[in-house]
């Protein structure tokens, strides 16, 4: 059995060792650049750890693990372009370093590469299931991104709609990674389905924690400045519940901040004012409770996987590491 840090070292080595010998070099250099940005590599690590529940040699599915990381980074590349983001993981984004056309074309090529790696070396008896799930997941992620964009223009987004959006945009890829790893490891169908549901709930807790940390995190621990979601009026679990629960006077104050245009206020003042309103309404405790709900549900589902507890412990240790970034 491997621990998650050993699996992370392995996948980092695999990605660092990728060769880009095809031409033109200008198409592949942005791809090399994106993959060099690092990151937590959560999805390939989850895939390999699910496989490791049943089989020892995780390198047997190295290609599929690389595929899911390429795919994830493709989505980030295009997200950055749509959001006009300047930085990603402390590095300049592709559309800023090159241009929009490079970001579109290199991203499209990453998507094709992800499919090639996912298919490469996949056992024939699993190929149909693997490619079908991977394709369905890719469609769901696009649906989640569309909902996210539509929510920007809406003031009536419900908590249920938001949870479904983050399930599609974030959770399903974690779930896909775990299920593919389980299938390739020879897991019983019931266990593979349980691991998928474990990933869904883990992903929901993880994304809600990101909402929480953007307001209440310690920048030194969180790895980025706090308050970004507040400044861009992003529809998060926090904001949606604040709008839904506010008394008239508090809602009016909150909406005044939401209507202010960039450049007409001091950013730190907006962050402080909106955070104070969240505190007054009990939004912090509400979000914390929701994170704990999905975290505990994930634990309960993993408990049902028909393996000895000590076999599942490394996977649960990784889950705890993902949800232990609060300050």
């Amino acid at each position: 059995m491997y621990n998650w840090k050993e699996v992370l070292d392995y996948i980092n080595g695999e990605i660092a060792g990728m060769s880009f010998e095809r031409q033109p070099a200008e198409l592949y250099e942005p791809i090399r650049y994106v993959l060099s940005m690092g990151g937590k590599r959560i999805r390939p690590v989850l895939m390999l750890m699910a496989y490791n529940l049943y089989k020892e040699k995780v390198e047997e599915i190295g290609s599929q693990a690389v595929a899911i990381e390429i795919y994830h980074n493709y989505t980030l590349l295009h997200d950055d372009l749509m959001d006009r983001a300047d930085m990603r993981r402390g590095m300049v984004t592709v559309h800023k370093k090159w241009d929009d056309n490079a970001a579109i074309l290199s991203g499209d090529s990453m998507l094709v590469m992800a499919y090639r790696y996912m298919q490469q070396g996949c056992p024939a008896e699993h190929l149909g299931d693997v490619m079908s799930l991977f394709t369905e997941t890719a469609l769901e992620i696009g649906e989640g991104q569309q909902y996210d964009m539509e929510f920007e223009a809406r003031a009536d987004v419900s908590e249920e709609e938001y949870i479904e959006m983050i399930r599609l945009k974030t959770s399903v890829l974690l779930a896909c990674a775990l299920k593919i790893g389980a299938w390739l490891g020879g897991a019983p169908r019931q266990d593979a389905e349980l691991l998928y549901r474990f990933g869904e709930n883990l992903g929901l807790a993880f994304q809600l924690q990101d909402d929480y940390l953007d307001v209440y995190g310690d920048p030194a621990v969180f790895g980025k400045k706090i308050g970004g979601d507040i400044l861009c009026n992003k529809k998060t679990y926090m904001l949606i519940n604040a709008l839904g629960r506010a008394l008239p006077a508090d809602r009016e104050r909150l909406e005044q901040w939401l209507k202010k245009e960039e450049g007409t206020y001091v950013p730190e003042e907006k962050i402080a004012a909106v955070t104070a309103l969240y505190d007054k309404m009990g939004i912090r405790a509400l979000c914390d409770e929701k994170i704990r709900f999905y975290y505990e549900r994930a634990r309960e589902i993993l408990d049902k996987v028909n393996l000895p507890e000590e076999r599942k412990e490394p996977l649960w240790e990784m889950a705890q590491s993902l949800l232990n970034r609060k300050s």
Side-chain angles (χ1 to χ4, degrees), residues 34-262:
V34 168
L35 293 173
S36 76
M37 290 180 177
K40 293 178 282 291
R41 313 288 194 205
I42 294 167
R43 293 141 195 90
V45 170
L46 285 173
M47 181 186 286
L48 294 171
M49 295 198 74
Y51 179 89
N52 197 215
L53 291 171
Y54 303 94
K55 290 185 179 176
E56 295 298 332
K57 295 181 179 179
V58 296
E59 60 271 16
E60 293 287 333
I61 64 161
S63 180
Q64 287 68 42
V66 168
I68 212 152
E69 183 66 6
I70 293 172
Y71 176 80
H72 174 60
N73 280 272
Y74 142 74
T75 66
L76 298 182
L77 193 160
H78 278 187
D79 282 357
D80 287 342
L81 175 61
M82 286 185 279
D83 295 342
R84 310 310 303 175
D86 293 338
M87 303 293 289
R88 165 73 64 179
R89 297 169 181 159
M91 297 171 70
V92 178
T93 50
V94 168
H95 69 274
K96 295 292 288 187
K97 186 175 175 65
W98 282 273
D99 56 34
D100 289 4
N101 288 341
I104 293 167
L105 192 56
S106 293
D108 290 347
S109 298
M110 289 179 78
L111 176 59
V112 176
M113 287 173 63
Y115 268 81
R116 170 173 281 183
Y117 273 92
M118 187 62 75
Q119 185 175 343
Q120 187 173 288
C122 186
E125 65 269 25
H126 294 300
L127 183 60
D129 283 341
V130 167
M131 299 311 295
S132 177
L133 176 59
F134 188 45
T135 301
E136 177 66 18
T137 302
L139 285 171
E140 288 180 321
I141 290 167
E143 292 161 1
Q145 177 68 7
Q146 180 64 35
Y147 283 132
D148 196 17
M149 293 190 298
E150 290 176 4
F151 289 174
E152 291 176 11
R154 286 180 49 192
D156 62 342
V157 180
S158 68
E159 179 181 319
E160 291 74 21
E161 286 178 302
Y162 180 73
I163 293 297
E164 175 62 5
M165 182 273 287
I166 63 173
R167 186 189 73 83
L168 291 167
K169 189 173 176 181
T170 300
S171 295
V172 295
L173 192 57
L174 274 67
C176 172
L178 285 154
K179 195 170 191 177
I180 289 175
W183 275 342
L184 297 178
R189 286 272 160 176
Q190 185 176 359
D191 278 4
E193 184 57 37
L194 286 168
L195 286 165
Y196 185 92
R197 289 172 49 212
F198 166 72
E200 276 188 311
N201 284 276
L202 183 64
L204 289 170
F206 181 73
Q207 184 57 54
L208 287 169
Q209 183 178 255
D210 258 16
D211 290 1
Y212 178 101
L213 291 175
D214 191 80
V215 179
Y216 294 109
D218 178 348
V221 177
F222 190 33
K224 58 184 177 182
K225 292 180 180 179
I226 64 168
D229 289 346
I230 290 174
L231 293 178
C232 67
N233 297 338
K234 186 172 177 62
K235 297 295 193 314
T236 64
Y237 184 86
M238 317 282 275
L239 179 57
I240 288 166
N241 275 283
L243 288 169
R245 292 166 179 265
L247 296 173
D250 289 335
R251 186 182 175 98
E252 184 178 350
R253 280 194 290 273
L254 183 55
E255 288 179 340
Q256 285 174 351
W257 280 109
L258 296 178
K259 291 173 184 174
K260 287 180 183 288
E261 294 186 8
E262 189 177 353

